[in-house]
Amino acid sequence: MIDILTRLEKTYNGKDYALLKHAYDYARKAHVNQKRASGEEYFIHPCTVAGILIDLGLDAATVAAAFLHDVIEDTPVSEGDIRKEFGDEVLELVVGVTKLEKIQFHSREEEQAENFRKIFVAMAKDIRVIIIKLADRLHNMRSLNFLSKERQQRMARETLEIFAPLAHRLGISQIKCELEDLCLKYLEPDFYEYLTTNIEQRLKATGSGVEQVVSEVKEVLDESNINGEVFGRRKHLYSIYRKMKERNKTLDQIYDLVAIRIIVNSVDECYEIFGKIHNKWKPVPGRIKDYIATPKPNMYRSLHTTVVTNFGRVFEIQIRTYEMNHAAEYGIAAHWKYKEKKNIADDLDTRLTWIREVMEWQGGLKDSKEFLNSLKGDIYSSEVLVFTPKGDVISLPKEATPLDFAYSIHSAVGNKCVGAKVNGKMVPLNTVLNVGDVVDIVTSQNSKGPSWDWLKIVKSSSARVKIRQFFKREMKDENVKTGKLMLDAEAKRRGFSLSEILNDDAFLHLATKMSFNGQDEMFASIGYGAVSVNQVIVKLIDYHRRSLPQQEVTKFFKTGKKGEGGVKVKGMAGLLVRFAGCCNPVPGDDIVGFVSRGYGVTVHRKDCPNLKHTEEDRLIEVSWADTNDSVYNAGIRVVGATQTEVLTTVAAVVAQLKLDIVSTNGRIDIKTKQAVVEFHIRLNSKDELNNLITKLSQEPKIADVYRTTN
């Protein structure tokens, strides 16, 4: 802790040093007598986090917030106290970090998903919040050995899935590499030990080869009158592990354990040395990468090549300027370390653009799990660099299509897209783009917008979300109507009426779980496919069942025709008998009676799904009476190209058989685009129903017909 004060003195001065010394003293007093799991003083943790940020070159306010980042959560200190002592800027940073820790979750999946959303909200407000959090997580990972094995693995997995990729996306390779290696240590301890031991042995055996390459490269620099540095740098363990796993190779088959790094003063010198290296040694085809002309999305810039030396060894060589090297090590933090340089500030703006885009499209996602999946797609996807006709570089995920390109330019370009040219030739919209392709999007103001099929074509999360947002915004009324019909049909299929299970209390319960702002938004979400009917209906039915007293359980069975007509109840007389609306039994069906408390006997088909979880002692034997006087309702579902064709065809067949249509309910299936119409038919027996289904199935305009349970 004395060391941290010395570093503060050397790094900061004037008001900055005074602020940091005050934060140090204040946090030390607040955490007095607190211990970590290791038994050491708790205050060591904020000091170490602050030290990591000093190494990254962060400003005084950020380092002060690092000293104070746990005081609100773990000590009696309040937000008001922090504002009074350190001002609003430091308070906002401390509160931003604290909020990332406080949320409670119902499931591990929900926790991880909501963590992502919280992190990006915090990043959008002030990127320094996530840099503090990354430093905090790095020190926690360094001291993970004092926790239980279960907690070690849980934290390591979360770090590997969330924090290491974020550090990579922000370009902070120092933190990213150490986090990944520490995750490997706890998730794959045997593999970690194997790599640690064997790589050291390999490097000792081949050390002279590295020294020889470094020496020969220095000679090239001297001959060219170029000042620079040359050194060998071992690849971090996790990158070697991943290469072995992905390519199914043994350690002996991995040749580039060490990269030779050349650092010079200018871009021109980078390319000059690049050419002379290839003059000296033969480059490996396909392993030359120019990240100076086309930087990675995290603004990493460097020249990479893999060469075969004259003594038969394979080495990767990286060539960059000092400025590029700083940006590669410190990433977004380089903005503060080298903030006087304009191009570093431009890099910051580029990096923040990605975060702003994420925040723009995440507003269209109410479900944290959907946000998580979308964001992971953007973070983890391999990049394909393509060009606009003007030569601008666009980074897209692997197997991206012209539609992904169009939506990466702007939502309006994607929505009005009617065609695409790749390298000057018209291509289908589902064409997979390759590195270096020049893509030109053809748009039309007469375009009606995207097709649902586009969701199957695009590969980028942002494009997928923008397409869904179009349907949500432009087709709101139609989506509400479609969603309501779908939910109503599913409720009937399960033996309920929608009005029965969807009341104000039920919706309020549902809205807290699924973040709907109103019933129309819920219906629209179902209609445009953001949530499934099943997700909603299961929650509504569950709430309905739990809200009813046990003795009213019989209300789950919709009443149909009242009276005893056509049914005998074994061993009982004088009972009210009715037919269940959930399965609509007709003479010829195997049936069973359900004794309802206060409601008589409800007759169901024996295969009715609503009987699966009923009490067996409340089921009673019933049978059909020998009478032709009674009429019954039966449900059928008919599928065809259009509702008009289905309605006219069914009406003609029903009239031919001298039956009656009681009701109809139609919709368009979103996936198949076919018309689906449900009919309730009045008839006398199962034979009449089977005859109707047979005749309809023979009609050329009917794609499918079958009996329903409602």
Side-chain angles (χ1 to χ4, degrees):
M1 289 186 282
I2 295 174
D3 175 61
I4 194 77
L5 289 174
T6 304
R7 294 172 67 193
L8 289 177
E9 259 187 292
K10 289 181 178 179
T11 311
Y12 304 91
N13 50 47
K15 289 182 179 179
D16 286 348
Y17 176 75
L19 171 70
L20 291 168
K21 181 63 167 64
H22 182 33
Y24 171 91
D25 292 335
Y26 194 90
R28 183 170 192 174
K29 184 178 179 181
H31 288 297
V32 69
N33 297 326
Q34 291 183 350
K35 303 288 184 183
R36 300 191 79 212
S38 62
E40 64 186 8
E41 283 187 48
Y42 189 87
F43 186 55
I44 289 175
H45 172 64
C47 283
T48 307
V49 174
I52 293 169
L53 297 178
I54 293 171
D55 289 340
L56 291 175
L58 269 294
D59 61 316
T62 309
V63 179
F67 281 123
L68 300 163
H69 77 274
D70 280 333
V71 294
I72 294 177
E73 184 73 9
D74 297 334
T75 78
V77 174
S78 68
E79 292 184 19
D81 296 331
I82 299 294
R83 178 182 282 112
K84 180 180 177 183
E85 294 290 333
F86 302 97
D88 288 336
E89 183 181 10
V90 173
L91 172 64
E92 288 301 315
L93 292 171
V94 173
V95 169
V97 178
T98 302
K99 283 182 177 179
L100 294 180
E101 303 289 350
K102 291 182 73 173
I103 190 163
Q104 298 294 315
F105 304 94
H106 296 96
S107 70
R108 181 69 193 146
E109 186 177 50
E110 180 187 352
E111 178 177 357
Q112 189 189 53
E114 194 60 28
N115 262 340
F116 257 111
R117 191 188 285 269
K118 288 278 181 181
I119 284 168
F120 270 78
V121 170
M123 287 167 68
K125 290 180 179 176
D126 194 326
I127 193 65
R128 292 174 294 176
V129 170
I130 194 59
I131 298 177
I132 298 171
K133 183 62 187 172
L134 287 171
D136 173 64
R137 178 52 63 104
L138 178 56
H139 184 237
N140 284 334
M141 288 298 297
R142 286 174 180 174
S143 50
L144 210 56
N145 55 306
F146 295 102
L147 302 182
S148 67
K149 187 174 182 179
E150 181 184 352
R151 289 185 65 190
Q152 287 174 354
Q153 294 203 336
R154 191 180 74 177
M155 186 174 284
R157 192 167 289 107
E158 181 184 65
T159 300
L160 193 61
E161 291 182 353
I162 297 180
F163 293 101
L166 281 175
H168 171 68
R169 204 57 155 87
L170 298 177
I172 312 175
S173 66
Q174 262 193 11
I175 289 181
K176 175 247 186 187
C177 293
E178 188 175 350
L179 284 177
E180 288 181 338
D181 284 355
L182 287 168
C183 290
L184 182 63
K185 179 180 178 180
Y186 292 101
L187 293 175
E188 297 277 2
D190 293 338
F191 213 120
Y192 179 86
E193 187 64 32
Y194 167 79
L195 288 179
T196 304
T197 304
N198 287 275
I199 287 174
E200 288 301 324
Q201 292 175 355
R202 285 270 307 272
L203 292 179
K204 284 178 183 178
T206 60
S208 58
V210 175
E211 293 166 8
Q212 185 174 342
V213 171
V214 169
S215 176
E216 292 190 37
V217 171
K218 284 181 177 178
E219 288 178 11
V220 174
L221 288 176
D222 291 339
E223 291 167 5
S224 307
N225 293 318
I226 293 175
N227 293 320
E229 295 179 32
V230 186
F231 53 88
R233 185 159 185 167
R234 192 187 80 177
K235 297 288 188 71
H236 72 293
L237 294 178
Y238 185 77
S239 68
I240 297 169
Y241 161 81
R242 190 172 56 193
K243 191 174 292 186
M244 291 171 66
K245 288 288 186 180
E246 289 176 355
R247 301 179 187 177
N248 196 27
K249 290 188 174 183
T250 65
L251 185 58
D252 292 334
Q253 294 173 304
I254 304 294
Y255 299 108
D256 52 346
L257 297 179
V258 177
I260 306 299
R261 186 168 297 173
I262 306 170
I263 306 178
V264 293
N265 289 296
S266 70
V267 172
D268 287 344
E269 289 176 345
C270 288
Y271 284 106
E272 183 179 343
I273 293 300
F274 194 56
K276 289 182 176 179
I277 291 294
H278 286 172
N279 240 0
K280 186 175 183 62
W281 294 306
K282 186 177 180 180
V284 177
R287 297 295 300 272
I288 300 172
K289 296 173 183 176
D290 186 348
Y291 293 121
I292 294 179
T294 55
K296 290 187 176 184
N298 64 2
M299 298 313 298
Y300 173 87
R301 300 173 73 209
S302 185
L303 294 173
H304 288 198
T305 184
T306 300
V307 298
V308 182
T309 64
N310 47 20
F311 53 91
R313 288 285 307 282
V314 177
F315 281 98
E316 180 183 297
I317 297 178
Q318 303 168 353
I319 309 170
R320 61 184 68 158
T321 66
Y322 285 97
E323 199 171 278
M324 292 173 194
N325 195 56
H326 288 312
E329 294 295 320
Y330 299 104
I332 203 163
H335 168 71
W336 287 274
K337 195 173 182 74
Y338 304 96
K339 57 188 174 185
E340 70 279 0
K341 300 196 175 183
K342 182 181 184 303
N343 60 325
I344 294 293
D346 292 342
D347 286 354
L348 174 72
D349 290 339
T350 304
R351 288 190 176 97
L352 291 179
T353 297
W354 172 67
I355 298 166
R356 293 188 193 106
E357 286 175 354
V358 170
M359 293 311 299
E360 178 187 333
W361 58 253
Q362 75 93 26
L365 301 176
K366 289 293 183 183
D367 182 70
S368 292
K369 182 181 176 183
E370 186 179 356
F371 178 63
L372 170 66
N373 293 336
S374 298
L375 190 57
K376 277 186 175 180
D378 270 12
I379 288 182
Y380 296 133
S381 59
S382 301
E383 67 227 21
V384 175
L385 300 175
V386 296
F387 296 90
T388 68
K390 293 182 179 180
D392 296 327
V393 180
I394 302 293
S395 175
L396 298 171
K398 190 177 180 181
E399 297 183 351
T401 66
L403 284 176
D404 292 288
F405 178 91
Y407 279 102
S408 73
I409 300 299
H410 196 279
S411 297
V413 176
N415 292 337
K416 295 294 182 181
C417 174
V418 293
K421 293 180 181 178
V422 175
N423 303 323
K425 296 181 180 180
M426 291 296 296
V427 298
L429 292 178
N430 62 353
T431 301
V432 175
L433 299 177
N434 297 308
V435 174
D437 282 345
V438 178
V439 186
D440 190 9
I441 299 299
V442 181
T443 61
S444 170
Q445 293 304 312
N446 296 323
S447 169
K448 295 181 180 179
S451 160
W452 279 104
D453 293 337
W454 288 9
L455 290 170
K456 300 174 185 176
I457 295 174
V458 295
K459 302 299 179 183
S460 63
S461 306
S462 56
R464 194 169 291 112
V465 172
K466 287 173 182 176
I467 292 169
R468 289 191 182 280
Q469 284 178 335
F470 173 86
F471 288 116
K472 181 180 180 181
R473 182 177 61 253
E474 302 295 331
M475 302 175 66
K476 180 74 179 289
D477 293 341
E478 184 179 338
N479 285 328
V480 170
K481 184 179 178 181
T482 301
K484 190 172 184 179
L485 287 171
M486 290 169 66
L487 195 60
D488 185 52
E490 184 62 20
K492 286 179 179 178
R493 193 184 73 78
R494 293 170 179 258
F496 302 90
S497 67
L498 188 57
S499 60
E500 181 183 9
I501 60 174
L502 182 57
N503 53 39
D504 290 342
D505 289 341
F507 178 74
L508 183 62
H509 171 76
L510 183 71
T512 58
K513 288 183 173 295
M514 304 189 73
S515 302
F516 293 129
N517 291 323
Q519 288 195 23
D520 278 358
E521 184 175 298
M522 175 187 69
F523 292 137
S525 297
I526 296 170
Y528 71 79
V531 298
S532 69
V533 178
N534 192 57
Q535 281 178 284
V536 174
I537 201 73
V538 167
K539 290 180 175 64
L540 288 175
I541 292 174
D542 180 63
Y543 180 80
H544 180 63
R545 283 178 172 151
R546 287 189 285 108
S547 65
L548 287 179
Q550 186 62 34
Q551 61 267 28
E552 294 186 27
V553 72
T554 55
K555 287 188 178 179
F556 289 133
F557 306 104
K558 262 179 59 179
T559 59
K561 182 179 181 296
K562 293 184 179 180
E564 292 187 11
V567 172
K568 296 178 182 177
V569 180
K570 184 177 180 180
M572 294 187 183
L575 288 176
L576 174 66
V577 175
R578 57 186 182 167
F579 298 107
C582 53
C583 57
N584 291 306
V586 297
D589 287 331
D590 290 332
I591 54 175
V592 65
F594 178 85
V595 180
S596 307
R597 297 186 179 101
Y599 292 93
V601 175
T602 305
V603 179
H604 292 262
R605 282 165 35 197
K606 282 187 176 179
D607 60 356
C608 178
N610 282 325
L611 294 179
K612 287 182 180 178
H613 305 293
T614 56
E615 304 163 37
E616 287 192 14
D617 58 358
R618 294 176 65 184
L619 298 178
I620 188 171
E621 186 179 331
V622 295
S623 60
W624 296 105
D626 296 329
T627 175
N628 295 318
D629 297 337
S630 301
V631 290
Y632 307 86
N633 290 343
I636 60 171
R637 185 171 292 146
V638 186
V639 181
T642 67
Q643 289 193 20
T644 301
E645 288 183 353
V646 171
L647 288 168
T648 54
T649 303
V650 173
V653 174
V654 167
Q656 179 188 344
L657 297 177
K658 298 181 180 180
L659 304 175
D660 292 318
I661 297 175
V662 178
S663 65
T664 63
N665 188 2
R667 63 182 173 86
I668 301 298
D669 188 293
I670 291 178
K671 292 183 179 179
T672 65
K673 307 300 183 187
Q674 290 182 303
V676 180
V677 186
E678 296 182 359
F679 296 86
H680 279 90
I681 310 295
R682 185 173 287 121
L683 39 72
N684 296 100
S685 69
K686 188 176 181 179
D687 288 342
E688 288 185 345
L689 176 62
N690 291 340
N691 189 29
L692 171 63
I693 291 174
T694 299
K695 285 190 173 296
L696 287 174
S697 64
Q698 294 169 349
E699 291 289 330
K701 293 181 180 180
I702 301 301
D704 196 8
V705 57
Y706 51 93
R707 187 176 179 183
T708 64
T709 55
N710 59 313

